[in-house]
């Protein structure tokens, strides 16, 4: 039977570099393209080819509705579609905490080999809560694992009678139909599941396989499949999930900004910008979030907005050296060299006494005609790093 979602799986977040992140983004878009191609093949009746394409999409590993949801899952290392046990799992957001605890207890019994007790535990929970779709679904999942398919099918049906949006119940009910040799019924249930999650390559693969089995039996039926209408900027839940990840680990933004220009389109950075702004709704006084927001705005070519964001960061923390240096670079790029000088002097006063900062200060002094101060700044840079080629060349180019 298919896996369900894990309860309380929160492993430590990895620290991706830009190459890993670029690979994740590429895999997401490749999987999305394959899913769309598989749906077209399904609708055209080429079920075997559709199954191959959906299998390729599944191998790429993305079953999330949108890019922000996918990235959030990857950044916290919780990969979608991975269950805590071979057959078990529940969505904590779909059931009350007390029932989720009962399901977890049944999971523990099951994986420890006490299968009869696990089934009994769920039966008792259903007697007390007969209108909980998730309990019926979980009991059906256990019964399927025990090859008690007839009762399992009844449990999945009951789950759907209570909650018609329970996608995994549609999938599991289809599997039961397939086992008893009713591929046309399986196709019907899988079409409903696919309509709920058209982005899910696993469901697309199962639908293609069921349709192929139906065709092999000589049964003709047009298979309907929904096309994903993903718009990452409109996926509120995905944006919120990713914003919470970045709120906890703002340095993840560094990996995005290290992506080479031209290798990802502006959509990725538009998603990141909306994500940061969502985080700022919760933490408006967090200077680091304003700073990162400014960096993303700069990457999008919105320099005035980027300056405003970094000014807010400095207003919150006047000694925030990263934001001061970012502001200086933005000012230099917009011919506000006197302002760049001010911000670089503030950054050095706040402790950013690095060779590259002194070199930037020298360039800004030179742009406003303060050549002796520029000379002094370049010499400071070389005192810190005597091999700093840019500072040495800049110093040599000054008039004697």
């Amino acid at each position: 039977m298919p896996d369900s979602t894990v309860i309380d799986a929160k492993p430590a977040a990895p620290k991706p570099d830009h190459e890993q992140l670029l690979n994740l983004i590429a895999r997401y878009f490749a999987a999305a393209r394959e899913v769309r191609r598989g749906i077209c093949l399904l609708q055209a009746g080429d079920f075997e080819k559709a199954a191959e394409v959906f299998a390729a999409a599944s191998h790429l590993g993305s079953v999330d509705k949108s890019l922000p949801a996918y990235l959030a899952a990857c950044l916290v290392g919780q990969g979608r579609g991975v269950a805590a046990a071979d057959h078990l799992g529940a969505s904590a957001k779909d059931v009350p905490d007390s029932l989720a605890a009962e399901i977890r207890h049944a999971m523990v019994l099951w994986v420890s080999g006490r299968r009869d007790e696990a089934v009994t535990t769920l039966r008792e929970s259903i007697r007390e809560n007969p209108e909980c779709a998730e309990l019926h679904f979980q009991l059906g999942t256990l019964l399927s694992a025990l090859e008690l398919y007839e009762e399992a099918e009844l449990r999945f049906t009951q789950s759907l009678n209570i909650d018609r949006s329970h996608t995994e119940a549609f999938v599991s009910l289809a599997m039961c139909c397939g086992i008893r040799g009713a591929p046309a019924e399986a196709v019907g249930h899988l079409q409903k599941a696919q309509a709920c999650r058209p982005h899910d390559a696993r469901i697309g693969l199962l639908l293609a396989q069921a349709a192929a089995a139906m065709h092999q039996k000589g049964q003709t039926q047009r298979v309907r499949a929904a096309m994903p209408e993903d718009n990452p900027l409109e996926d509120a839940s995905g944006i919120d999930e990713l914003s919470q990840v970045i709120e906890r680990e703002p340095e993840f933004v560094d990996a995005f900004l290290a992506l080479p220009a031209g290798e990802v389109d502006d959509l990725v950075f538009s998603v990141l910008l909306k994500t940061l702004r969502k985080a700022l709704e919760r933490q408006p006084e967090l200077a680091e979030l304003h700073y990162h927001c400014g960096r993303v705005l700069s990457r999008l070519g919105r320099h005035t907005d980027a300056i405003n964001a970094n000014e807010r960061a400095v207003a919150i923390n006047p000694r925030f050296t990263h934001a001061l240096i970012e502001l200086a670079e933005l000012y230099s790029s917009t011919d506000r060299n006197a302002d760049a000088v001010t911000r670089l002097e503030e950054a050095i006063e706040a402790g950013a006494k690095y060779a590259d900062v002194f070199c930037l200060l020298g360039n800004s002094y030179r742009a406003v005609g303060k050549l002796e101060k520029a000379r002094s700044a370049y010499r400071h840079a070389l005192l810190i790093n005597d091999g700093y080629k840019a500072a040495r060349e800049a110093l040599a180019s000054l008039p004697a």
Side-chain angles (χ1 to χ4, degrees), residues 280-298:
L280 279 167
E281 289 178 11
R282 293 190 296 268
Q283 298 276 3
E285 296 305 313
L286 197 60
E288 192 171 4
L289 289 176
H290 288 286
Y291 160 68
H292 285 308
C293 192
R295 295 171 73 204
V296 174
L297 285 163
S298 179

Side-chain angles (χ1 to χ4, degrees), residues 134-379:
E134 187 66 25
L135 286 172
H136 288 281
F137 169 74
Q138 294 295 341
L139 178 55
T141 302
L142 292 187
L143 293 168
S144 295
L146 294 171
E147 299 184 359
L148 299 173
Y149 299 116
E150 186 174 347
E151 186 185 352
E153 187 171 341
L154 293 174
R155 292 296 177 178
F156 296 134
T157 300
Q158 183 60 20
S159 179
L160 288 166
N161 287 338
I162 298 167
D163 179 7
R164 297 297 294 176
S165 67
H166 200 306
T167 306
E168 288 301 322
F170 277 122
V171 173
S172 296
L173 183 55
M175 297 300 96
C176 289
C177 293
I179 288 169
R180 64 176 168 84
E185 290 183 49
V187 166
H189 296 309
L190 286 168
Q191 284 183 138
K192 293 173 183 175
Q194 195 272 339
C196 294
R197 291 215 302 264
H199 52 277
D200 194 327
R202 175 179 63 95
I203 294 175
L205 174 59
L206 293 172
L207 176 55
Q209 291 171 335
M214 181 184 69
H215 187 69
Q216 288 169 3
K217 283 196 167 189
Q219 300 175 9
T220 57
Q221 177 181 329
R222 184 171 175 233
V223 174
R224 299 182 307 277
M227 190 67 73
E229 296 181 357
D230 294 342
N231 182 348
L233 295 180
E234 300 303 324
D235 177 24
S237 62
I239 292 286
D240 185 66
E241 187 176 359
L242 183 57
S243 73
Q244 292 181 45
V245 174
I246 288 177
E247 189 178 319
R248 293 193 301 270
E249 303 283 351
E251 62 269 25
F252 281 143
V253 179
D254 293 330
F256 284 92
L257 292 168
L259 296 175
E263 294 197 28
V264 293
D265 59 27
D266 285 351
L267 175 63
V268 172
F269 290 98
S270 296
V271 166
L272 185 57
L273 177 61
K274 191 158 188 175
T275 300
L276 284 164
R277 285 177 167 167
K278 184 68 177 179
L280 279 167
E281 289 178 11
R282 293 190 296 268
Q283 298 276 3
E285 296 305 313
L286 197 60
E288 192 171 4
L289 289 176
H290 288 286
Y291 160 68
H292 285 308
C293 192
R295 295 171 73 204
V296 174
L297 285 163
S298 179
R299 181 68 180 257
L300 289 167
R302 296 168 56 180
H303 298 300
T304 300
D305 292 333
I307 288 171
N308 292 336
N310 278 288
E311 289 285 10
R312 284 193 290 274
V314 171
I316 294 168
N317 180 4
R319 296 181 65 81
F320 191 173
T321 57
H322 290 301
L324 289 166
I325 295 166
E326 182 75 11
L327 272 174
E329 292 179 335
L330 287 165
Y331 286 144
S332 294
S333 69
T334 53
D335 295 324
R336 294 173 60 180
N337 295 297
D339 291 327
V341 166
T342 300
R343 290 309 190 184
L344 287 168
E345 288 175 341
E346 290 172 348
I348 291 170
E349 175 64 25
K353 298 178 180 180
Y354 309 115
D356 57 341
V357 178
F358 277 105
C359 190
L360 285 172
L361 180 58
N363 294 341
S364 297
Y365 278 140
R366 185 173 188 169
V368 296
K370 297 182 178 180
L371 300 186
E372 286 307 311
K373 285 195 171 186
R375 196 186 315 276
S376 175
Y378 292 139
R379 285 172 175 165

